[in-house]
Amino acid sequence: MTLVFQNPEMQFLQPTVKKEIEYTLSLLGWEENAKKYRVEELLQQFSLDHVKDMHSYQLSLGTKKRVSIASCIAHRPSIVLADEPTFCQDALNTREILLALQELQKNGTTIIMVCHDQSLLERVATRIYKMDQSTISENKSNREDCNKRVIL
């Protein structure tokens, strides 16, 4: 399981973006070639290639968010808890984040995401739960096509 914080700076442990993404893979003992391939894949997918040798604290908030997501999903966890993963993203980066999450979901990862963007939820969620004054209710309208979308 992994957690993508709303504030990405709370997650950074390494001196460069590349090392941040590598970190969990190294802890889990990934083979060097597999680790290198996965890191390069994520650097490209999340438009981080040009900042890979920078410290994450030097980046814009949107770029920091992508670094935190890439580092959290690098090892393909079984569960992803993501707090506002598309915050501060343009349309292209939002699309890439959602594609990455959907790819994980297709391969068995459970995605749980906190999000305030109702239109995004309606496009990609298999289930939507609404919290309102300590009451949680499920929106039944998004039950069709459950196997094609991410749980939010």
Side-chain angles (χ1 to χ4, degrees), residues 56-68:
S56 299
Y57 287 121
Q58 296 174 296
L59 308 173
S60 70
L61 183 55
T63 305
K64 289 176 186 177
K65 190 68 170 189
R66 293 194 311 278
V67 172
S68 72

Side-chain angles (χ1 to χ4, degrees), residues 90-119:
D90 61 16
L92 179 63
N93 286 312
T94 294
R95 180 180 181 276
E96 288 303 321
I97 289 167
L98 294 176
L99 286 173
L101 294 175
Q102 287 176 321
E103 185 63 30
L104 287 171
Q105 189 263 343
K106 285 179 192 173
N107 290 305
T109 298
T110 299
I111 309 293
I112 302 169
M113 182 166 63
V114 175
C115 182
H116 296 95
D117 184 342
Q118 188 65 32
S119 65

Side-chain angles (χ1 to χ4, degrees), residues 8-25:
E9 289 184 354
M10 296 178 74
Q11 293 183 239
F12 299 143
L13 301 170
Q14 299 301 307
T16 68
V17 168
K18 184 177 177 183
K19 288 188 182 297
E20 194 69 49
I21 297 170
E22 286 177 348
Y23 184 65
T24 301
L25 302 177

